[in-house]
Amino acid sequence: MQFTQQEMNQLAAASTSSSRENLYAGIHKALRAMMTDTLLAVGRADPSDPQDVADASGRVIGLMDLCEAHVQHENSFVHPAIEARTPGVCGEVAQDHVAHLHHIQRLRAAAQQLPGLDDPLQAGALHALYLELSLFVADNLQHMHVEETRHNAALWSAYTDAELRAIHDALVATIPPSEMMQVMRWMLPQMHALERLQVLGGMRQGAPAPVFQAVLDVVQPHLSPRDWAKLTQGLGLPAVPGLVAAV
Ligand SMILES: [Fe+2]
C-alpha cells in the first residue's frame, strides 16, 4: 500500500500525539489480536475432527459478531462526531463499513454452514473460509490504520481530550456486559503494561469488586508472568490471588 505525503504526516502526528485521548487504539489492538488469532485457528483446524470444525465455526461467528458491533459503535458515536466538526473526513471509511458489514454476513453464513456439510466437503470449505477470512483481516488492518491516522488527526484537531472522553464513555455505556468481557479478554493482554494498568485502574474505581475480579480472572491466563507482576504491583494487589487472605 502506497501512502501519500499527507498520510505519512498524519501517521507521524498520530505517533507523536500518544498523550492525546485515543478512541481507537485499545479496541483496535483487541480486534487485531482476535482477528489474527482466529485466522490462525481456522488454518490449524483439522477437517476430519468434528470438534475442530465446530470450534473454528464458533470462533469465526464470535469474531463476526464483535466486528459487526464495532462497526455499529463507530457509526453511532465516532463518525457523527467527526462529521460534525470536520465534514467529509469519514466518507471513505464509511464506505468501508458498508462493505465490511456485507463481508461479515458472508463469512458468518459460511461459518454457520460449515459443521453441517458432508465429510468430503469439510476440508475444502474450511480452507475456503480460511482464505476468505484472511482477506477480511487484511482489509480491516488497512482500514484500522486509516482510522488511527486520518480520523484521529481530525478528532484531535477538533475536540479536546475531555470531549473525546465523553464520546468514549457514551459509547462504552451502550456495550452489553458479555461483549465488554470479550473485549477485555482480547484488549488487555495486547496492551502495553502502562495502558493495561490505566484501564484496569479506572475500572477498579467504577466497577463492583466482583466484576473487577472477573476481568482479572479472564485476563491473567493471557499475561506473561512479568506483565502480571507489573499489573498486580501497579494495582497494589498480591501477585498470587488469595495470598492476603491466607496470611
Ligand atoms: Fe471502522
Side-chain angles (χ1 to χ4, degrees), residues 21-233:
E21 186 74 18
N22 192 329
L23 297 182
Y24 289 110
I27 184 62
H28 279 182
K29 283 190 175 181
L31 289 173
R32 290 184 184 99
M34 190 179 183
M35 285 178 184
T36 50
D37 197 68
T38 302
L39 176 65
L40 299 180
V42 174
R44 285 193 306 271
D46 176 356
S48 69
D49 181 339
Q51 186 63 55
D52 266 25
V53 173
D55 288 347
S57 168
R59 290 287 305 268
V60 173
I61 292 168
L63 174 63
M64 293 305 110
D65 290 347
L66 191 67
C67 288
E68 185 173 43
H70 176 67
V71 169
Q72 305 295 2
H73 298 323
E74 288 185 348
N75 285 352
S76 298
F77 290 91
V78 183
H79 288 197
I82 294 172
E83 288 296 313
R85 297 192 185 175
T86 53
V89 168
C90 285
E92 180 184 327
V93 165
Q95 286 181 357
D96 283 352
H97 280 183
V98 173
H100 288 170
L101 290 174
H102 286 125
H103 210 166
I104 286 167
Q105 302 301 340
R106 287 206 312 275
L107 281 164
R108 184 190 282 125
Q112 287 170 336
Q113 290 166 6
L114 191 63
L117 294 176
D118 293 338
D119 286 351
L121 299 176
Q122 290 283 8
L126 198 53
H127 194 63
L129 181 63
Y130 172 72
L131 291 178
E132 191 65 22
L133 183 60
S134 75
L135 291 181
F136 179 78
V137 173
D139 195 30
N140 271 274
L141 291 177
Q142 300 216 359
H143 170 86
M144 289 188 284
H145 184 280
V146 173
E147 291 177 327
E148 290 195 43
T149 52
R150 192 179 303 159
H151 280 198
N152 265 341
L155 287 164
W156 290 336
S157 73
Y159 286 88
T160 66
D161 284 338
E163 289 174 320
L164 293 175
R165 272 192 291 278
I167 294 168
H168 172 268
D169 292 348
L171 188 162
V172 168
T174 68
I175 298 177
S178 60
E179 181 186 331
M180 181 59 75
M181 194 62 85
Q182 194 177 29
V183 168
M184 291 297 139
R185 179 263 174 267
W186 287 102
M187 183 176 79
L188 289 169
Q190 307 310 329
M191 289 179 144
H192 65 62
L194 300 177
E195 292 171 331
R196 190 180 303 118
L197 181 59
Q198 185 178 21
V199 171
L200 282 167
M203 184 181 293
R204 193 186 198 183
Q205 304 295 321
V211 173
F212 179 69
Q213 185 60 50
V215 172
L216 287 181
D217 291 345
V218 163
V219 169
Q220 185 182 4
H222 306 288
L223 293 184
S224 69
R226 272 170 60 80
D227 277 336
W228 178 248
K230 287 179 185 177
L231 179 62
T232 52
Q233 189 173 12

